[in-house]
């Protein structure tokens, strides 16, 4: 069980969180002009990193906020945790 | 002999011919009677099942898995591959596959051996041993392949019956299992000399320390050490003083009988404490096991080392033990494991065992050392004692049936040639093959193992990034008591400092003890016999031999991970504790490579087999999942309702009267609603309050419907899609105020809908000023449905004009009912005039009972979910999750009308114009009528055009809902059928397994009151 640092509440056990998939995939502001291919890519294409991965978590049994985590999927080391809307920190 | 045969304890064999007169950590004054395979024996307090049986000269404790060869105990600990037993207290308290070496004796203990039929001494499965040539490596894969049908009917049942690693209990487990979550700065696993020293150092820092050990007593190797001195005191005196010191610290937790079974991310370690298994009559207040989920800042692994067996022909007979196990049985349990011993030594451990046994009066027939020029403390002492040492020798084979009775010693020339020198009679043959550091947990932590040439073993390498641990003592490859104490203390100190404690002054443990020895022999021992015939066992539990491994290499299984699976080496319940390194040795030998070139297999939890109860903890029965009950639940119970589980909710399914089955009850309830009045508990509906200046805009984006123009006091049926365009949820939404919506969701969808709303609000549209609040528990919902609904409701309502003009269908208003605030919806999921009365749950029962009392004038009838389903199906209303399955678009289920055509965007909109979503052949919602007018179709049944077509048939769709309609007097069904709306009036066939098919006519899904006239009956 991971210890996940919520940027609002601090480190908490994984049981308090729900995984939210890959981070930094913004919904297009206006999806209508997108080609079917582009839209399908937005819907379904996700990275499957063996290594450093930016992902979303929701502190569902805490502050209920979504936030982002950079995690090494091979070691489960958490390299950064930051609020929704913030840029991925330099260097991780 | 039947397993259930009750032993006659009065006839217990009390004479223990192999018990020493004194010494050891047992209490000879406290006899303990137990039974093994129905025969009663006597042991003493402090014994394990294995030591007590050995005291009677009983070595034969099991049969091997594949060949059913007689097997004796080989080790004295958790690495035991052979002596697996089933211990039962009763039908529910039966634990298979326990290692006799770890089963503590208690009065009346009843154990049976496994893998034998009908008895341990005579086993018909032993015939496999004669046909060993037919059971080579990979025989499962090679033999049981064809024909396919034989697998289910012949091969698998026979394999299962003859394999049988114990039997499962026949009754539910009555014991309790608990879990604790704890934090500590330093967790020390293993309480041998290294672990004790580590705990001492960490304890002095004042930090929270947990020390655990899988054995009943702390001390590890010290428990069998009768010669070493620590700080001038006998080792066991030092042990007692150290334990007293540790017990004096309030910040140190000592956990004996506690196995560290799993190492998980971020220094999360699972320990299982066996609380009552060693007790004759467990206190019912105690759990059987307690799982400690430890989050440790630092972990010290002081898990010691396992002795390596030697791979020589017939190395598996009862009476062949690891050398250190023999020392342990003698020094710790006061048991001589035999009368005349041969010792096969590649390590000084063999000499230490020989010296101890000789002193106890066991005859040492020969010490056959593989090395030409051995050295070591034990070797020197054995030489001085005049023990018969022969160097440059190998074991070419053994003899004996149920017990070893001789060993063939052979010479190994400089060039590797082997010639037999002598057969020596013995009833005990010890193997001293060197040591393997116990690094299962280290490896589980994803930290690296590193091959160390000097100790010829894998030792701790780089620590995994997210973990904080270190190993000490033999687990780190530092052998010998002195090294254990010094590396242990340093590790404990380093861990404490890393965890934020102050450094402790170094302690020096002055010791007098044998030097550590890393000598070993890896690979199959040389011999002069036919290599294709002899069997030298590598994995004793899974019966894989050096020959099997060599065959696997010849057949191309060069990767250790492949060879392991092909030969099943290391894949038994012991996870290869004794077989891992011998396997690598044989594979390296066969490929002419070094061991690090061969690679390594990954260790996985649990370290030793762990009960399901340990993981389940209290989460069983009613505590498995929370149970949610509505405010009306107990009223419904009182009325005899039959409940069903809907998610975590208990919902009343129907209310049978005397003699009614479900169909009769549902038919009666349906008639009551359509004819007069029904009352229904809809409290489980999910409710979300959407509030804020941008609430309408948020709703516009989340739902397919337009919301901007929905007037205050009006409701609308909302449909929510996922971004991929498929229907996700639905429900009635009421506008309470310009900036406030009362959103309802499906019972099961409430949490996930709120999660999805929060997701969009927080991450995609943080600019919207909207608040979302779950209100499911804030409102109980009473549905009054039927022509008499208004008449019964009206007298109780204040502040709301219920007249049809003022309060039409799909209206909502706030007011009071029975003096309680209410949100009153005029909605109908039945097609009848209907109201849904939202009240605080604390008042719901009172309101319900008031309405019920008033309704009795009109025959008010409580109805359940089953009737609700029938009534809505008659109206063609879908249920998300029944008519939809995550691949249905709004158009598929006839909801295109709900979509706000003018809206530029909403979740899922873009997906609706992807080509696949507009396919003309998509399945569409239709109604089905059985042509015979009486067959109620099976939900889920497949629909085809021609049931006589060859298989695989072209399936056009499936039945989603099917009921007998009381109102119509015939069955109705809903279905999804390919291009269904263009097939109205066609006849298709619904397949009925085993009974051919039923003809059905495709009709509109609205079966009842298509014009909606009944909503407004006056
Ligand atoms: Zn939080």
């Amino acid at each position: 069980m991971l210890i996940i640092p919520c940027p609002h509440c601090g480190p908490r056990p994984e049981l308090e969180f729900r995984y939210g998939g890959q981070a930094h995939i913004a919904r297009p502001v206006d999806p209508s002009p997108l080609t079917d291919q582009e839209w399908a890519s937005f819907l379904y294409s996700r990275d499957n990193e063996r290594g450093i991965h930016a992902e979303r978590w929701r502190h569902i049994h805490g502050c209920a906020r979504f936030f982002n985590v950079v995690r090494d999927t091979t070691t489960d080391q958490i390299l950064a945790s930051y609020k929704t809307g913030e840029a991925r920190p330099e260097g991780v | 002999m039947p397993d259930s045969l009750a032993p006659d304890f009065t006839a217990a064999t009390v004479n223990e011919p192999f018990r020493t007169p004194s010494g050891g950590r047992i209490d000879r004054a406290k006899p303990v009677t137990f039974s093994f395979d129905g025969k009663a024996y006597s042991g003493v307090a402090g014994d394990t099942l294995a030591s007590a049986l050995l005291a009677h000269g009983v070595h034969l404790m099991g049969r091997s898995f594949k060949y059913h060869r007689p097997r004796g105990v080989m080790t004295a600990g958790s690495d035991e591959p052979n002596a697996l037993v089933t211990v039962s207290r009763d039908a529910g308290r039966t634990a298979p596959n326990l290692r006799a070496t770890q089963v503590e004796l208690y009065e009346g203990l009843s154990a049976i051996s496994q893998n034998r039929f009908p008895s341990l001494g005579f086993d018909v499965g032993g015939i496999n041993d004669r046909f060993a040539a037919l059971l080579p490596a990979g025989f499962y894969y090679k033999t049981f392949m064809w024909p396919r049908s034989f697998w289910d009917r012949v091969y698998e049942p026979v394999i299962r019956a003859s394999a049988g690693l114990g039997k499962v209990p026949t009754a539910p487990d009555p014991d309790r299992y608990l879990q604790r979550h704890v934090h500590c700065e330093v967790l020390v696993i293993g309480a041998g000399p290294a672990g004790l020293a580590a705990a001492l150092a960490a304890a002095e820092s004042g930090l929270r320390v947990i020390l655990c050990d899988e054995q009943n007593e702390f001390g590890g190797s010290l428990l069998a050490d009768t010669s070493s001195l620590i700080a001038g005191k006998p080792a066991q005196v030092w042990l007692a003083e150290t334990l007293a010191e540790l017990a004096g610290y309030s910040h140190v937790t000592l956990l004996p009988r506690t196995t560290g079974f799993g190492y998980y991310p971020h220094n999360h370690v699972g320990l299982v404490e066996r609380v009552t298994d060693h007790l004759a009559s467990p206190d019912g207040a105690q759990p059987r096991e307690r799982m400690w989920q430890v989050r440790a800042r630092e972990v010290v692994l002081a898990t010691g080392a396992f002795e390596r067996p030697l791979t020589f022909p017939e190395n598996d007979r009862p009476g062949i033990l690891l050398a250190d196990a023999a020392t342990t049985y003698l020094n710790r349990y006061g048991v001589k494991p035999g009368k005349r011993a041969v010792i096969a030594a590649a390590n000084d451990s063999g000499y230490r065992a020989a010296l101890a046994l000789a002193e106890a009066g066991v005859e040492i027939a020969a010490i056959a050392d593989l090395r030409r020029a051995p050295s070591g403390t034990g070797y020197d002492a054995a030489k001085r004692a005049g023990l018969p040492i022969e160097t440059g020798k190998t074991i070419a084979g053994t003899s004996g049936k149920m017990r070893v009775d001789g060993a063939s010693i052979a010479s190994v020339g400089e060039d590797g040639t082997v010639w037999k020198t002598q057969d020596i009679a013995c009833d005990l043959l010890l193997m001293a093959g060197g040591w393997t550091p116990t690094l299962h947990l280290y490896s589980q932590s994803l930290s690296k193992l590193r091959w160390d040439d000097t100790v010829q073993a894998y030792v701790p390498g780089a620590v995994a990034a997210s973990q904080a641990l270190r190993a000490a003592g033999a687990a780190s490859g530092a052998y010998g008591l002195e090294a254990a104490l010094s590396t242990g203390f340093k590790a404990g100190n380093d861990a404490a400092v890393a965890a934020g404690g102050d450094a402790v002054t170094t302690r020096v443990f002055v010791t007098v003890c044998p030097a550590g020895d890393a000598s070993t022999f890896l690979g199959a021992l040389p011999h002069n016999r036919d290599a294709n015939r002899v069997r030298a066992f590598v994995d004793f539990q899974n019966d894989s031999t050096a020959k099997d491994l060599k065959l696997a290499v010849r057949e191309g299984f060069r990767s250790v991970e492949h060879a392991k699976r092909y030969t099943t080496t290391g894949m038994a319940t012991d996870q290869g504790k004794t077989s891992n390194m011998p396997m690598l040795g044989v594979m390296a030998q066969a490929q002419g490579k070094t061991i690090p070139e061969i690679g390594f297999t990954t260790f996985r939890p649990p370290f030793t087999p762990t009960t399901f109860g340990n993981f389940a903890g209290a989460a069983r029965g009613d505590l498995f999942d929370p149970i949610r009950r509505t405010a009306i639940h107990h009223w419904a119970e009182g009325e005899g309702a039959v409940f069903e589980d809907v998610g975590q909710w208990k919902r009343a399914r129907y209310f049978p009267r005397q003699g009614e089955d479900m169909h009769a009850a549902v038919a009666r309830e349906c008639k009551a609603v359509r004819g007069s009045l029904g009352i229904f508990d809809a409290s489980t509906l999910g409710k979300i309050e959407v509030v804020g200046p941008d609430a309408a805009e948020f709703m516009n984006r989340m739902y397919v419907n337009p919301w901007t123009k929905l007037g205050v006091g009006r409701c609308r049926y909302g449909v929510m899609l996922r971004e991929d365009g498929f229907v996700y949820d639905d429900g009635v939404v009421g506008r309470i105020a310009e900036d406030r919506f009362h959103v309802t969701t499906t019972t099961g969808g409430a949490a996930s809908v709120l999660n999805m709303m929060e997701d969009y609000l927080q991450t995609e549209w943080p600019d919207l000023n909207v608040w979302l609040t779950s209100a499911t528990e804030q409102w109980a919902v009473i549905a009054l449905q039927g022509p008499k609904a208004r008449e019964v409701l009206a007298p109780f309502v204040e502040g709301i004009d219920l007249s049809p003009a003022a309060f039409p269908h799909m209206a909502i208003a706030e007011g009071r009912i029975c003096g309680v605030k209410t949100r009153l919806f005029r909605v109908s999921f039945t097609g009848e005039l209907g109201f849904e009365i939202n009240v605080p749950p604390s008042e719901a029962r009172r309101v319900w009972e008031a309405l019920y009392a008033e309704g009795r004038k009109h025959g008010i009838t409580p109805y359940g979910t089953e009737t609700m389903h029938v009534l809505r199906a008659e109206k063609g209303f879908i249920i998300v999750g029944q008519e939809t399955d995550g691949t249905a678009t709004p158009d598929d289920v006839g909801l295109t009308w709900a979509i706000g055509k003018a809206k530029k965007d909403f979740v899922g909109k873009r997906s609706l114009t992807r080509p696949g979503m507009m396919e003309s052949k998509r399945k569409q919602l239709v109604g089905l009528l059985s042509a015979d007018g009486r067959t109620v179709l099976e939900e889920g049944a497949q629909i085809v055009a021609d049931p006589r077509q060859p298989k695989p048939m072209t399936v056009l769709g499936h039945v989603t809902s099917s009921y007998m309609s009381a109102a119509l007097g015939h069955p109705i069904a809903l279905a999804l059928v390919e291009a269904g709306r263009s097939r109205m009036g066609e006849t298709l066939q619904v397949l009925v397994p085993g009974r051919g098919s039923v003809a059905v006519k495709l009709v509109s899904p609205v079966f009842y009151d298509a014009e909606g006239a009944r909503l407004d009956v006056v």
Side-chain angles (χ1 to χ4, degrees), chain A residues 6-10 12 16-17 58-60 62-65 67:
Chain A
C6 171
H8 305 279
C9 307
R12 295 288 188 278
E16 295 184 12
F17 298 85
R58 185 178 181 213
H59 195 185
I60 190 146
C63 63
R65 306 300 298 268
F67 60 95

Side-chain angles (χ1 to χ4, degrees), chain B residues 637-684:
Chain B
E637 244 175 6
E639 293 294 310
V642 174
F643 291 88
E644 67 170 337
D645 290 336
V646 181
Q648 294 172 332
W649 289 102
K650 296 281 177 200
R651 298 198 73 179
R653 191 174 184 198
Y654 56 100
F655 292 80
R657 288 188 183 160
Q658 190 105 42
E660 279 185 340
D661 63 6
M662 183 174 83
H663 296 290
V666 168
R668 174 179 50 75
E669 292 170 14
C670 286
K671 278 183 192 149
V673 175
R674 298 240 182 269
S676 175
L677 186 58
I679 187 166
F680 175 71
D681 180 8
S683 301
T684 64

Side-chain angles (χ1 to χ4, degrees), chain A residues 5 7-8 14 17 30 32 47 65 83 86:
Chain A
H8 305 279
E14 187 182 338
F17 298 85
D30 181 6
S32 59
D47 296 333
R65 306 300 298 268
K83 293 175 187 170
E86 291 178 356

